[in-house]
């Protein structure tokens, strides 16, 4: 990404302001933190308005009014069904009113009903049935030459035992004692490997972001040196 | 009125979306598609609600001169400037008819110069805290902590050149013990097994909660008031 000198300078100053928190909480950090809150709230609002509200709501209800700057609305006839989400959206805003804010529950009820209806099917299909299906792998894997593929067979064994023992660990209807306790202990070990791997990846991602910021600071310093 | 209608809306919408999977013909198919757009539209109103709430909270802070109220001016200034520039598409050719993130627009400038560095540095800051927290938490006192520590360490090393370098001397027959290969194996098998157990548990939880919500057993989202 090629940034202009002004962008590079603001970029560098704000990066240093945030990093100053590593020393202690200070006015520079607070300034950057508050700016971040304001700018990001407006950014997502603007994106929502131009990417969703204009093409999907305004252009459908009042196509003539926005056809000058929304090509998709040209020649379309009004679709008054979209007054329904508009009404729900406006009801949601009643939450800001001192009286009658209970009306926002209607909009919330639509959102929650939508999420419940789609997630019920989606999760059962992709995260339950599909995951179980993917776990049904052969325990004995043969090589193309005909011999036993020890590595692959062991990996499949780890997968099956790992999933089953992990599930036993999450099964709280039976006390984790005796055989159940031993299996659930293996489940804990597998989960610890998962958490360790996730932790490793999180640290890597954060360090990669930090390197990106350092590169950006280096570009800014090079630019400053170039000025003199 | 205050609770019955919301419960009814949730029931009808949730049930219609489940039925749409089992009854593909109209009107369920269209309903499924349109509801998704309705949801996106209401989500934008939620952003607007968030913006309104931000103004209210920081406006209150300023009017009551609460602690650090001066920073609330920064929040509100950043909010209104970004909103004004973005909604009117200032600076970008050809103005209101162009793209909101068009090259040369002030909105893109704010994104590049302010939002990107602030977001990235905020998250990058966590690298230091994760490192210091893990230093304290990852003392290999128990078997579980040792396994977690080892897995995290192998994954971290396996993604660096150093990880490759320290085990590159191993003969081909033992190449599976090379740290990058070990990291790949951990990611592909034990990690997948653990993730899968978690995901299966979550899916059952989501399905059960969804049913409870649709049937009106779970009502906490409506709040505690009448």
């Amino acid at each position: 990404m090629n940034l202009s000198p002004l962008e590079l300078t603001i970029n560098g100053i704000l990066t240093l302001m945030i990093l100053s928190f590593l020393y202690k909480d200070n006015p520079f950090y607070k300034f950057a933190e508050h700016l971040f809150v304001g700018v990001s709230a407006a950014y997502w609002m603007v994106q929502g308005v131009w990417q969703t509200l204009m093409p999907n709501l305004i252009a459908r209800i009042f196509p003539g009014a926005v056809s000058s700057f929304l090509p998709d609305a040209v020649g379309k006839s009004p679709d008054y069904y979209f007054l329904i989400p508009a009404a729900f959206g406006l009801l949601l805003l009643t939450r800001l009113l001192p009286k009658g804010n209970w009306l926002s529950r209607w909009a919330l009820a639509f959102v929650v009903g939508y999420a419940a209806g789609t997630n019920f099917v989606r999760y059962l299909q992709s995260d339950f049935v599909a995951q179980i299906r993917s776990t049904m792998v052969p325990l004995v894997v043969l090589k193309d030459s005909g011999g036993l593929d020890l590595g692959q067979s062991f990996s499949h064994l780890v997968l099956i035992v790992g999933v089953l023992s992990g599930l036993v660990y999450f099964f709280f209807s039976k006390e984790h004692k005796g055989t159940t306790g031993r299996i659930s202990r293996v489940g804990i070990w597998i989960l610890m490997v998962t958490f360790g791997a996730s932790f490793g990846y999180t640290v890597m991602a954060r360090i990669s972001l930090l390197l990106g910021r350092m590169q950006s600071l280096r570009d800014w310093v090079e630019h400053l040196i170039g000025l003199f | 009125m205050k609770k019955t209608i919301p419960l009814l809306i949730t029931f009808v919408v949730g049930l219609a979306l489940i039925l749409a999977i089992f009854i593909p013909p109209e009107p369920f198919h269209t309903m499924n598609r349109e509801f998704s757009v309705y949801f996106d539209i209401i989500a934008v109103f939620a952003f607007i609600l968030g913006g309104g709430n931000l103004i209210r909270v920081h406006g209150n802070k300023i009017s009551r001169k609460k602690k650090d109220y001066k920073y609330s001016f920064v929040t509100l200034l950043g909010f209104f400037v970004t909103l004004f520039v973005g909604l009117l598409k200032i600076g970008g050719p050809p103005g209101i008819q162009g793209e909101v993130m068009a090259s040369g627009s002030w909105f893109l400038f704010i994104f590049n110069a302010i939002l990107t560095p602030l977001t990235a540095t905020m998250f990058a800051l966590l690298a230091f805290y994760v490192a210091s927290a893990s230093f304290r938490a990852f003392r290999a006192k128990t078997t579980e902590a040792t396994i977690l520590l080892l897995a995290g360490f192998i994954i971290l090393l396996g993604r660096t050149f150093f990880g490759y370098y320290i085990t590159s001397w191993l003969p081909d027959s033992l190449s599976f013990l090379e740290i990058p290969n070990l990291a790949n194996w951990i990611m592909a098998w034990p990690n997948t097994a653990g993730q899968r157990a978690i995901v299966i548990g979550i899916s059952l939880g989501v399905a059960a909660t969804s049913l409870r919500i649709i049937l009106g057993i779970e009502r906490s989202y409506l709040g505690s008031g009448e």
Side-chain angles (χ1 to χ4, degrees):
Chain A
M1 186 169 57
N2 286 325
L3 298 180
S4 68
L6 183 62
E7 283 173 327
L8 213 53
T9 306
I10 298 173
N11 203 310
I13 291 170
L14 289 175
T15 302
L16 289 177
M17 279 178 159
I18 296 283
L19 288 178
S20 70
F21 188 72
L22 289 172
Y23 171 58
K24 66 175 184 180
D25 199 5
N26 62 75
F28 295 110
Y29 174 76
K30 279 182 182 160
F31 177 91
E33 185 192 29
H34 281 75
L35 183 68
F36 177 49
V37 172
V39 171
S40 59
Y43 174 81
W44 290 112
M45 239 172 101
V46 170
Q47 285 288 6
V49 167
W50 285 114
Q51 307 296 340
T52 307
L53 213 62
M54 284 295 176
N56 291 333
L57 184 71
I58 309 295
R60 297 210 198 196
I61 301 174
F62 312 110
V66 291
S67 57
S68 59
F69 56 90
L70 279 179
D72 290 350
V74 177
K76 291 260 174 78
S77 52
D79 187 349
Y80 292 115
Y81 278 117
F82 278 81
L83 286 170
I84 300 170
F88 274 128
L90 291 172
L91 285 176
L92 194 65
L93 297 183
T94 60
R95 188 157 274 265
L96 291 170
L97 302 176
K99 278 186 179 177
N101 53 16
W102 55 271
L103 282 166
S104 66
R105 287 177 184 169
W106 293 15
L108 199 63
F110 180 91
V111 172
V112 171
Y114 175 84
T118 45
N119 286 340
F120 177 77
V121 181
R122 190 190 302 160
Y123 273 81
L124 283 183
Q125 277 180 340
S126 62
D127 285 359
F128 186 69
V129 177
Q131 295 294 337
I132 291 172
R133 191 182 294 140
S134 306
T135 310
M136 291 180 179
V137 287
L139 276 174
V140 179
V141 183
L142 299 177
K143 288 179 185 166
D144 290 340
S145 54
L148 179 70
D149 189 337
L150 206 61
Q152 201 64 13
S153 301
F154 177 69
S155 298
H156 283 189
L157 182 70
V158 168
L159 181 75
I160 294 170
V161 170
V163 173
L164 291 177
S165 57
L167 285 172
V168 168
Y169 172 70
F170 287 121
F171 188 70
F172 300 114
S173 300
K174 192 173 188 317
E175 202 176 351
H176 291 184
K177 277 183 176 175
T179 310
T180 315
R182 280 191 287 274
I183 296 172
S184 90
R185 194 161 171 78
V186 176
I188 296 174
W189 293 343
I190 288 290
L191 290 173
M192 285 300 143
V193 172
T194 306
F195 296 145
S198 304
F199 168 78
Y201 257 92
T202 307
V203 172
M204 292 294 280
R206 299 288 182 250
I207 287 175
S208 136
L209 272 174
L210 187 65
L211 288 176
R213 297 325 304 147
M214 292 301 132
Q215 278 172 349
S216 170
L217 281 179
R218 186 199 60 193
D219 293 346
W220 180 44
V221 170
E222 277 177 1
H223 165 71
L224 286 179
I225 291 169
L227 286 179
F228 300 104
Chain B
M1 182 82 163
K2 289 182 181 177
K3 288 214 170 172
T4 314
I5 293 181
L7 286 173
L8 200 67
I9 293 171
T10 304
F11 177 74
V12 171
V13 173
L15 192 69
L17 287 166
I18 292 174
L19 285 178
I21 303 294
F22 298 103
I23 312 170
E26 299 297 348
F28 290 101
H29 178 70
T30 311
M31 205 185 277
N32 193 8
R33 201 185 55 225
E34 298 287 277
F35 275 8
S36 150
V37 184
Y38 286 11
F39 180 82
D40 291 345
I41 291 168
I42 297 170
V44 177
F45 278 95
F47 282 135
I48 297 171
L49 176 68
N53 205 34
L54 185 93
I55 295 168
R56 191 168 69 173
V57 168
H58 285 274
N60 268 338
K61 216 172 161 185
I62 291 169
S63 67
R64 291 178 189 176
K65 293 197 173 173
K66 284 186 179 172
K67 188 174 178 265
D68 287 341
Y69 76 94
K70 286 168 192 164
Y71 296 107
S72 292
F73 283 113
V74 179
T75 302
L76 291 180
L77 188 73
F79 178 77
F80 284 118
V81 169
T82 310
L83 199 65
F84 178 75
V85 160
L87 289 181
L88 298 181
K89 296 184 182 173
I90 291 175
I96 198 88
Q97 290 169 331
E99 288 290 318
V100 66
M101 295 285 273
S103 174
S105 69
W106 289 16
F107 193 64
L108 183 66
F109 176 85
I110 288 175
F111 178 77
N112 284 338
I114 300 175
L115 197 61
T116 304
L118 285 175
T119 313
T121 319
M122 279 282 185
F123 283 106
L125 209 58
L126 290 179
F128 293 97
Y129 294 105
V130 167
S132 75
S134 57
F135 180 73
R136 275 169 280 170
F138 283 6
R139 288 177 192 151
K141 283 181 179 172
T142 60
T143 315
E144 288 81 12
T146 313
I147 294 171
L148 191 137
L149 181 68
L150 273 176
F153 197 63
I154 290 170
I155 296 295
L156 274 171
L157 270 184
R159 295 287 181 267
T160 59
F161 178 74
F162 185 67
Y164 165 78
Y165 180 75
I166 55 172
T167 47
S168 57
W169 53 270
L170 282 167
D172 278 352
S173 56
L174 294 175
S175 65
F176 67 92
L177 286 177
E178 284 178 14
I179 287 184
N181 292 339
L182 219 50
N184 286 337
W185 185 81
I186 287 174
M187 287 309 292
W189 301 103
N191 173 59
T192 305
Q195 295 275 11
R196 212 163 261 176
I198 294 169
V199 162
I200 290 171
I202 290 174
S203 64
L204 285 172
V206 168
T209 310
S210 297
L211 264 186
R212 283 171 61 85
I213 287 172
I214 291 167
L215 296 175
I217 301 166
E218 172 66 54
R219 301 169 176 207
S220 56
Y221 66 94
L222 294 174
S224 54
E226 276 305 304

